[in-house]
């Protein structure tokens, strides 16, 4: 509908330069430039390399998005940009660019929360989000459980990672096994040829003693260490490392913990909808196990298609569209790039 807000979104929180255009809940364009290959030889994201890549990619990515959507900058009603959390230098590139475009085109600007945007992007595929809902966000930097009462007003954190995030653990285990970077898709593919029950890797923060203080929190550092020790023991004994079995058993441990805690959060909150977002949400085993466990309790699972799970401009535009439609005041033009932006802030206030 033409009376729905037309919003342009800019995402530069890590190694993906994304620009999306959304009208209401309809995705018109999602242009992306990734610097992942530049980071692969280092085995992880290098902040300075990411910032430089954003500088080089942002203008052409912006033009591709506008061309794909068939609109001009003058046509949009607002510009949304990831203000945080993320890599400080990378965020600064996107925020500075958004300010320049907003000033030149005389458009309101919305600085938005990267994690809330991962929840909002689901509406582009599945329509309005039932509220309340529980959202589980799993990526290279975050493993979080959130109670979403009103996406435009704020979310309530239920739990988070206390050390390594799930995506970070995937990257480290993939490097340990010599599989490359990024680890998520490589582990997923390798695990298909392995036995997930072959190795009993630990499930962090699931013991009865953890329920009081860390019921909805995550810890994958111990799992990562357990995998490393298991592999080292095989190598010391001169035995071959069954890479597929290790990958499958590790992946099963991660997905077991994530889905068990997510379903527990839904049941304890009386919520019937679970939204899963973030790069790790593209994992095939996580999707399947979440759906199986949710079905037993009458909980609906909503997961965007894999292209919308990883960082992208569409998710920023989607959240911006929600904010505009709800009449939320835009941010000030001097809005900051906040690398440690808290989950309770959906947008930077005006």
């Amino acid at each position: 509908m033409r009376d729905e807000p037309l919003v342009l979104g800019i995402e530069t929180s890590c190694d993906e330069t994304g620009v999306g255009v959304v009208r209401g809940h309809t995705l018109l364009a999602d242009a992306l430039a990734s610097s992942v290959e530049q980071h692969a030889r280092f085995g992880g994201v290098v902040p300075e390399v990411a910032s430089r890549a954003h500088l080089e990619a942002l203008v052409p990515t912006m033009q591709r998005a506008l061309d794909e959507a068939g609109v001009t900058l003058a046509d949009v009603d607002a510009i949304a940009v990831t203000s945080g959390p993320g890599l400080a230098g990378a965020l600064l590139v996107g925020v500075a660019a958004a300010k320049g475009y907003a000033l030149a085109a005389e458009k309101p600007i919305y600085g938005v929360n990267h994690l809330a945007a991962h929840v909002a992007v689901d509406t582009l595929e599945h329509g309005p989000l039932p509220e309340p809902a529980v959202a589980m966000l799993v990526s290279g930097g975050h493993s979080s459980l959130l109670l979403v009462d009103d996406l435009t007003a704020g979310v309530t954190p239920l739990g988070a990672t206390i050390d390594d995030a799930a995506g970070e653990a995937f990257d480290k285990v993939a490097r340990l096994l010599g599989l490359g970077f990024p680890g998520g898709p490589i582990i997923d593919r390798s695990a298909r040829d392995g036995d997930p029950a072959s190795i009993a890797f630990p499930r962090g923060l699931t013991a009865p003693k953890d329920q009081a203080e860390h019921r909805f929190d995550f810890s994958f550092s111990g799992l990562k260490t357990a995998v490393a020790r298991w592999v080292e023991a095989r190598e010391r004994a001169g035995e071959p490392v069954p890479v597929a079995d290790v990958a499958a058993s590790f992946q099963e441990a991660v997905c077991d913990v994530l889905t068990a805690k997510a379903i527990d959060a839904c049941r304890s909150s009386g919520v019937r909808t679970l939204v899963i977002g973030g790069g790790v949400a593209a994992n095939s085993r996580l999707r399947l196990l979440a759906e199986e466990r949710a079905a037993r309790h009458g909980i609906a699972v909503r997961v965007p298609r894999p292209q919308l799970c990883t960082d992208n401009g569409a998710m920023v535009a989607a959240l911006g569209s929600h904010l505009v439609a709800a009449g939320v005041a835009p941010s000030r033009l001097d809005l900051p790039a906040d690398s440690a932006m808290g989950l309770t802030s959906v947008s930077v206030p005006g």
Side-chain angles (χ1 to χ4, degrees), residues 209-326:
K209 64 182 178 62
D210 299 315
Q211 289 301 296
E213 187 175 357
H214 295 293
R215 181 176 180 181
F216 301 128
D217 291 327
F218 301 102
S219 171
F220 297 109
S221 180
L223 170 61
K224 173 204 66 182
T225 301
V227 174
R229 288 177 175 169
W230 194 93
V231 170
E232 289 166 1
R234 295 279 294 201
E235 292 174 338
R236 281 197 305 270
E239 299 176 357
V241 175
V243 173
D245 285 343
V246 174
S249 298
F250 161 76
Q251 177 177 267
E252 190 69 15
V254 173
C255 295
D256 183 18
V257 171
L258 289 173
T259 56
K261 288 184 177 259
I263 298 303
D264 186 21
C266 289
R267 296 184 68 195
S268 68
S269 303
V271 169
R272 313 297 288 181
T273 303
L274 170 65
V275 179
I276 306 177
V280 180
N283 181 272
S284 61
R285 180 56 180 158
L286 178 64
R287 288 170 173 249
L288 180 61
L289 191 57
E291 290 172 356
E292 288 177 352
R293 287 180 162 172
R296 297 173 198 157
H297 302 286
I299 297 169
V301 176
R302 294 171 44 139
V303 191
R305 60 184 180 272
Q307 296 92 326
L308 294 180
C309 289
T310 53
D311 295 347
N312 58 80
M315 69 186 203
V316 179
L319 181 53
S321 179
H322 277 74
L323 294 169
V324 174

Side-chain angles (χ1 to χ4, degrees), residues 179 182-194 244 247 251 283-284:
L179 297 177
I186 299 173
I187 291 283
D188 196 358
R189 289 194 298 269
S190 182
R192 293 169 191 168
D193 298 321
Q251 177 177 267
N283 181 272
S284 61

